[in-house]
């Protein structure tokens, strides 16, 4: 365990800054050593915004904690690479987002010409891989380009390895509302802190391995 913490800390220090924007930097309340001991995740709030910072394969990411869809605890979602895209999957309704951009990720459905369009339901698009379709109908995973979950710049600063974030700015993202809503944000944080009876609606087709 101590070896794992030391290796993860070295990797994070090596990638000390991500998406630098030149904006103000805010403390997260943790160091890279703390993150390693906390299984690579930390939930916190900056300027009224609910955020999660996490690690995946030695890289730091920061994303709005509440899922834009139903304010579920996205920050506690399973993390994995999907065809080379670093992703996090909401534990409530299986929406998948790219950790580096916040856009939705889904598997492309190549509908054969003899198959009427509109025969698949939106729910089937929430899974990866898609279920119930012949192999020839399934395409690769793709980034949708949808501005869904806002991501934020992360860096490691100082001799102690303090993790800092710089809030993302620019175009509106769907998660802006939930992330700034104090009631929904607190609900999300309460769930993330481990209330098992509040994990939300059960879903089929669980996510891949969590954490980093």
């Amino acid at each position: 365990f101590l070896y794992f913490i030391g290796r993860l800390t070295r990797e994070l220090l090596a990638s000390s800054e991500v998406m630098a924007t030149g904006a103000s930097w805010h403390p997260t309340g943790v160091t890279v050593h703390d993150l390693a001991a906390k299984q690579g995740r930390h939930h916190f709030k900056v300027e009224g915004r609910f955020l999660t910072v996490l690690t995946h394969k030695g890289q730091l990411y920061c994303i709005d904690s509440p899922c834009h869809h139903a304010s579920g605890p996205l920050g506690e979602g399973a993390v994995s690479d999907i065809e080379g895209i670093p992703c996090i999957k909401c534990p409530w309704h299986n929406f998948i987002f790219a950790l580096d951009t916040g856009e939705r990720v889904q598997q492309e459905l190549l509908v054969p010409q003899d198959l009427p369009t509109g025969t698949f339901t939106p729910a089937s698009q929430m899974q990866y891989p898609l279920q119930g379709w012949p192999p020839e109908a399934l395409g690769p995973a793709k980034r949708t380009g949808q501005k869904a979950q806002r991501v934020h710049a992360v860096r490691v600063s100082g001799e102690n390895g303090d993790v800092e974030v710089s809030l993302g700015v620019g175009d509106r993202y769907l998660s802006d509302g939930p992330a700034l809503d104090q009631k929904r944000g607190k609900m999300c944080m309460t769930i993330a802190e481990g209330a098992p009876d509040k994990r939300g609606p059960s879903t089929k087709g669980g996510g891949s391995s969590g954490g980093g």
Side-chain angles (χ1 to χ4, degrees):
F1 177 70
L2 292 177
Y3 169 78
F4 168 75
I5 291 179
R7 179 172 61 83
L8 179 58
T9 299
R10 288 193 299 273
E11 290 174 346
L12 292 176
L13 287 171
S15 58
S16 61
E17 188 165 325
V18 181
M19 295 172 50
T21 63
S24 300
W25 291 94
H26 305 272
T28 63
V30 295
T31 67
V32 289
H33 313 284
D34 299 328
L35 269 181
K38 295 176 68 172
Q39 298 183 339
R41 297 191 197 217
H42 175 59
H43 312 291
F44 61 105
K45 188 165 70 169
V46 168
E47 295 187 355
R49 193 177 197 102
F50 292 89
L51 306 171
T52 293
V53 65
L54 55 87
T55 64
H56 177 56
K57 292 189 173 180
Q59 181 67 64
L60 279 168
Y61 298 95
C62 183
I63 193 167
D64 285 346
S65 290
C67 182
H68 77 82
H69 174 235
S71 300
L74 177 65
E76 280 292 293
V79 174
S80 65
D81 279 347
I82 295 180
E83 298 184 27
I85 305 173
C87 294
I88 186 167
K89 183 176 184 178
C90 183
W92 275 17
H93 301 105
N94 295 334
F95 282 98
I96 300 171
F97 305 92
L99 281 170
D100 54 354
T101 63
E103 61 194 312
R104 282 277 308 279
V105 173
Q106 64 187 38
Q107 188 170 21
E108 187 175 8
L109 187 60
L110 307 175
V111 181
Q113 292 184 354
D114 60 346
L115 184 67
T117 58
T119 57
F120 59 95
T121 64
S124 68
Q125 297 265 21
M126 298 180 191
Q127 302 171 353
Y128 181 89
L130 291 175
Q131 305 294 321
W133 293 93
E136 61 270 17
L138 299 179
K142 66 175 184 178
R143 299 173 182 264
T144 64
Q146 181 188 42
K147 292 180 172 63
Q149 290 293 131
R150 188 178 293 280
V151 296
H152 310 274
V154 195
R155 73 178 183 184
V156 178
S157 177
E159 296 181 355
N160 295 326
D162 298 312
V163 179
E164 299 177 343
V165 299
S166 179
L167 296 180
V169 296
D171 295 339
R172 180 183 179 276
Y173 277 67
L174 296 176
S175 65
D176 288 343
L180 289 167
D181 186 292
Q182 299 305 295
K183 182 177 180 180
R184 288 190 285 176
K186 288 179 181 178
M187 177 194 73
C188 176
M189 289 298 187
T190 300
I191 296 169
E193 288 171 359
D197 57 333
K198 298 181 180 179
R199 295 301 291 181
S202 61
T203 56
K204 296 182 179 180
S208 41
S209 62

